[in-house]
Amino acid sequence: MQLIVNGLIAGSLAALMAGGLALVYGVLGVFNLALGQLSLIGGMTAWWLHGPMELPLLPSILGGIFVGGIVTWITFECTVAPFYRRDRFLPLVTTIAWSMILDAFILLVFQEYPRSILTNEKHFLDLGTVRFSLEQLALVLVTFIFISAVAWMLHSTSFGRKIRATVQHADAARSLGISSSFLHRVVFIASGVLAACGGIYMGIDQNLTPTIAFPITIKAYAAVIAGGKDNFWGTILAAYLIAMIEQFAVGAPWFFGAYIPVGYQQTVALVFIIVILLIKPSGLFSRQLRTT
Amino acid sequence: MNFILHIICVIAMTLPNILGFNLIFGKGKIFHFGPIGVSLIAAYASFLTLNATGSYLVAIAIGSTFALLASALFAWLSFRLDPDGLGILSIAAHLAIINVVLNWSSFTGGAMGIPKIPRMPYLDSLPTFTITVSTIAICWIIFLFVLEHSAFGRQLQALAEHEWYAKALGINRIRIHMIAFFIGGIGALLTNIFYHQYIHLVYLSDFGYPVFIYFVMIVVAGRPGSVLGVTLSTILIVTLKEAVRFIPLPSHILGPVRLLIFGVILLAAVWVQRDSLFPKKRTI
């Protein structure tokens, strides 16, 4: 039971970040390899506001989200907008360059120390054999609310219909008067805001170090690819699935009661995804697109 | 003088791996983002064998076998996945390999790496080492230049430009791409065999993600697919990387400044070549 709870906590973080990426990939068709750095900037800003600046938690979180959104917007204007209409693979390289620049910025401003937003302030809850903190519970609930809000937006608003139309057929959507450039900006910035939320989530639940940016990006993209790329719900499910695999890989006894060492947790999940994609390259939850 | 020889050595040792990657990513436009994973496997297989047997010949044989196997694994991924999926999952495979090496410390040395690597016989002095690695690098450049202008080079380019048309003309994608990956693997082996005996150490940090970005930067700056262009950019960027050491800044600032400089170079290189980096398919 504890493993399932741990999986839910880790999966919520992955879902938060991968969900935004799935929308970006669906609408723009590009990958943003600076995602981990964007999440770190959101988290580090919240830490700076709450720690050294001694602001209350809520304004610090809002500040982190705001700065994450602004940096994502700059990322879009500098590394995606000038390139993605020429070739959708160009942003793959430009965001790699941007990730280096952001890494340098993070190291210069926040330095290479682990940063935790809540130090010794957590409140734990014991329910029989299961133990979790109230902050973790809040984070899981906030993620659920976020995902529900995105689902409502996608399926019950005209903006959501425009997004779905662009995902299904970008040219047809444009010919119907949908402003793709506005939509692209909004969706990209939204993905950065979700990433910043993920960074703040990590800063509250564990701690933030500059070295985690890259594995975060890759795990989020592994969820997007395993889920079927432009399938939002597939991505969310894949994010939770990867997190559960990571927890059960090292938390449950395998052959003759032996445990896999914790250090291999990430490897097991990545190898599982690679094997799955070798068997089904289109992803676990891929679907047929409408064609004429 | 020694510093100049050192720079020549570093350039010559870097070239085989970079040019191999250039053949796959630059010429073939295959989003293989795991060249450092292949390097890691080649280096650890070679030097763990060297420690066990004491023979460079056996070490190179085992190292090349593992380099080719790792290349075949990445090639297999490229046949199964679409370009962006391959890009992400080859990085994922690289991360998974790093994780295994880091955690299997009883066998690989973990984060401490493999220390006290002896040099090959007759390579103890810096001038001899420089002459040897420079000769190998020049031979490798000539080999790849000839290959680029051969039928193989044209077939690889045709597959990169329009895979379906190329296949319709009878070009066997699996054979051509497999050869490209194998050449990349041999390049990785050549670089790692010499680099780690030069510094007497196999260290896990030499196989991190920043090294891959450094590779991408050199290939993009030198015009992807061009052997001579990438050779020139390797010379310039390696010299710049080594020269940055002399900027009078504390080490905790120097690292980020180096990242910043290289990030800006890569962004500028893509900006300059934004129309030619991934050229539009030729049409009638």
Side-chain angles (χ1 to χ4, degrees):
Chain A
M1 193 63 190
Q2 180 70 53
L3 290 177
I4 294 173
V5 171
N6 291 349
L8 269 178
I9 294 164
S12 299
L13 168 66
L16 201 60
M17 299 183 62
L21 289 182
L23 286 179
V24 169
Y25 187 83
V27 175
L28 281 86
V30 300
F31 275 148
N32 167 20
L33 287 185
L35 182 92
Q37 282 76 8
L38 294 174
S39 75
L40 270 186
I41 284 176
M44 290 286 197
T45 307
W47 163 81
W48 180 73
L49 291 172
H50 187 59
M53 299 303 290
E54 295 179 357
L55 286 182
L57 186 61
L58 191 63
S60 307
I61 290 174
L62 292 176
I65 293 172
F66 178 74
V67 172
I70 294 288
V71 177
T72 309
W73 179 49
I74 297 169
T75 303
F76 182 82
E77 297 301 339
C78 294
T79 65
V80 178
F83 303 103
Y84 75 108
R85 288 193 199 279
R86 293 167 198 273
D87 192 293
R88 74 183 187 91
F89 292 126
L90 278 174
L92 198 67
V93 184
T94 53
T95 53
I96 286 177
W98 191 247
S99 72
M100 286 174 86
I101 293 169
L102 291 181
D103 260 340
F105 172 78
I106 291 166
L107 287 170
L108 285 171
V109 176
F110 299 109
Q111 301 182 329
E112 208 171 357
Y113 303 113
R115 309 289 191 191
S116 185
I117 296 172
L118 290 183
T119 322
N120 303 324
E121 292 177 35
K122 289 180 187 162
H123 309 86
F124 283 94
L125 212 68
D126 286 301
L127 294 177
T129 54
V130 182
R131 186 169 197 255
F132 55 88
S133 70
L134 281 178
E135 289 76 16
Q136 286 174 330
L137 180 66
L139 293 170
V140 173
L141 289 176
V142 166
T143 306
F144 180 73
I145 292 166
F146 257 123
I147 293 170
S148 306
V150 171
W152 174 78
M153 187 269 291
L154 277 177
H155 295 284
S156 307
T157 65
S158 66
F159 185 71
R161 280 192 292 278
K162 286 175 185 172
I163 290 179
R164 284 189 293 135
T166 309
V167 170
Q168 285 180 7
H169 204 304
D171 293 336
R174 207 175 301 132
S175 69
L176 288 170
I178 294 172
S179 167
S180 58
S181 59
F182 172 71
L183 200 68
H184 290 170
R185 274 176 180 77
V186 170
V187 170
F188 195 89
I189 292 170
S191 83
V193 166
L194 287 176
C197 291
I200 295 167
Y201 188 138
M202 268 185 299
I204 291 174
D205 189 32
Q206 302 150 27
N207 50 45
L208 298 159
T209 49
T211 49
I212 58 171
F214 183 56
I216 292 173
T217 311
I218 295 306
K219 261 199 264 181
Y221 274 114
V224 173
I225 296 169
K229 280 199 187 154
D230 50 4
N231 182 348
F232 179 77
W233 296 110
T235 300
I236 300 294
L237 283 175
Y240 277 103
L241 180 68
I242 291 172
M244 289 290 176
I245 291 166
E246 281 189 343
Q247 295 302 323
F248 278 89
V250 298
W254 290 87
F255 307 105
F256 307 108
Y259 285 84
I260 296 175
V262 180
Y264 293 103
Q265 188 180 41
Q266 191 173 279
T267 311
V268 173
L270 290 176
V271 169
F272 175 80
I273 293 298
I274 291 169
V275 171
I276 290 290
L277 287 171
L278 284 173
I279 298 164
K280 196 168 185 292
S282 54
L284 283 171
F285 310 105
S286 59
R287 59 189 172 189
Q288 194 72 39
L289 290 178
R290 283 192 230 170
T291 49
T292 51
Chain B
M1 186 61 189
N2 276 358
F3 185 68
I4 293 170
L5 288 181
H6 163 73
I7 294 214
I8 294 170
C9 267
V10 176
I11 291 168
M13 287 184 293
T14 311
L15 271 169
N17 205 357
I18 296 267
L19 289 175
F21 177 58
N22 176 47
L23 185 73
I24 301 168
F25 174 67
K27 187 87 173 169
K29 306 277 185 253
I30 304 165
F31 282 66
H32 167 43
F33 288 171
I36 310 301
V38 178
S39 295
L40 193 158
I41 289 175
Y44 272 85
S46 303
F47 292 108
L48 286 172
T49 310
L50 181 70
N51 273 0
T53 63
S55 159
Y56 256 106
L57 206 61
V58 180
I60 291 171
I62 298 290
S64 45
T65 308
F66 274 85
L68 294 178
L69 283 174
S71 301
L73 173 75
F74 281 107
W76 185 37
L77 277 175
S78 83
F79 299 139
R80 295 289 293 163
L81 300 169
D82 57 4
D84 30 22
L86 170 68
I88 299 298
L89 285 182
S90 53
I91 298 176
H94 174 198
L95 274 183
I97 296 164
I98 286 184
N99 234 328
V100 171
V101 173
L102 187 65
N103 286 289
W104 197 2
S105 51
S106 59
F107 181 60
T108 62
M112 303 300 288
I114 309 171
K116 295 177 187 169
I117 290 174
R119 284 194 185 167
M120 282 178 182
Y122 313 111
L123 289 184
D124 274 337
S125 75
L126 188 57
T128 355
F129 200 95
T130 311
I131 292 167
T132 310
V133 290
S134 302
T135 312
I136 290 170
I138 291 166
C139 292
W140 190 250
I141 292 168
I142 294 168
F143 166 65
L144 287 180
F145 188 79
V146 171
L147 201 70
E148 188 191 336
H149 293 85
S150 68
F152 169 81
R154 287 191 294 276
Q155 288 173 348
L156 188 61
Q157 188 169 355
L159 282 167
E161 284 186 3
H162 209 304
E163 192 185 318
W164 292 357
Y165 294 170
K167 276 182 178 171
L169 290 169
I171 296 172
N172 184 340
R173 180 195 168 203
I174 291 181
R175 189 176 69 88
I176 297 296
H177 280 187
M178 197 61 104
I179 292 171
F181 272 92
F182 282 165
I183 292 170
I186 295 299
L189 179 80
L190 282 175
T191 289
N192 284 282
I193 279 288
F194 287 102
Y195 179 71
H196 296 290
Q197 57 173 304
Y198 181 68
I199 61 169
H200 299 287
L201 174 73
V202 178
Y203 191 50
L204 202 54
S205 294
D206 290 329
F207 303 100
Y209 182 59
V211 184
F212 161 68
I213 299 177
Y214 180 63
F215 273 36
V216 174
M217 178 181 58
I218 290 177
V219 169
V220 171
R223 199 160 66 81
S226 160
V227 173
L228 297 182
V230 172
T231 304
L232 187 66
S233 71
T234 307
I235 294 168
L236 292 175
I237 290 173
V238 168
T239 310
L240 176 69
K241 189 184 174 191
E242 296 296 316
V244 166
R245 289 173 201 268
F246 296 107
I247 297 176
L249 286 172
S251 59
H252 70 279
I253 294 181
L254 196 60
V257 167
R258 191 183 274 180
L259 272 178
L260 197 66
I261 292 171
F262 290 149
V264 170
I265 290 175
L266 179 55
L267 201 57
V270 179
W271 175 270
V272 170
Q273 302 182 69
R274 59 192 185 280
D275 288 321
S276 56
L277 199 58
F278 299 109
K280 288 203 183 326
K281 292 179 175 80
R282 286 188 229 175
T283 50
I284 299 166

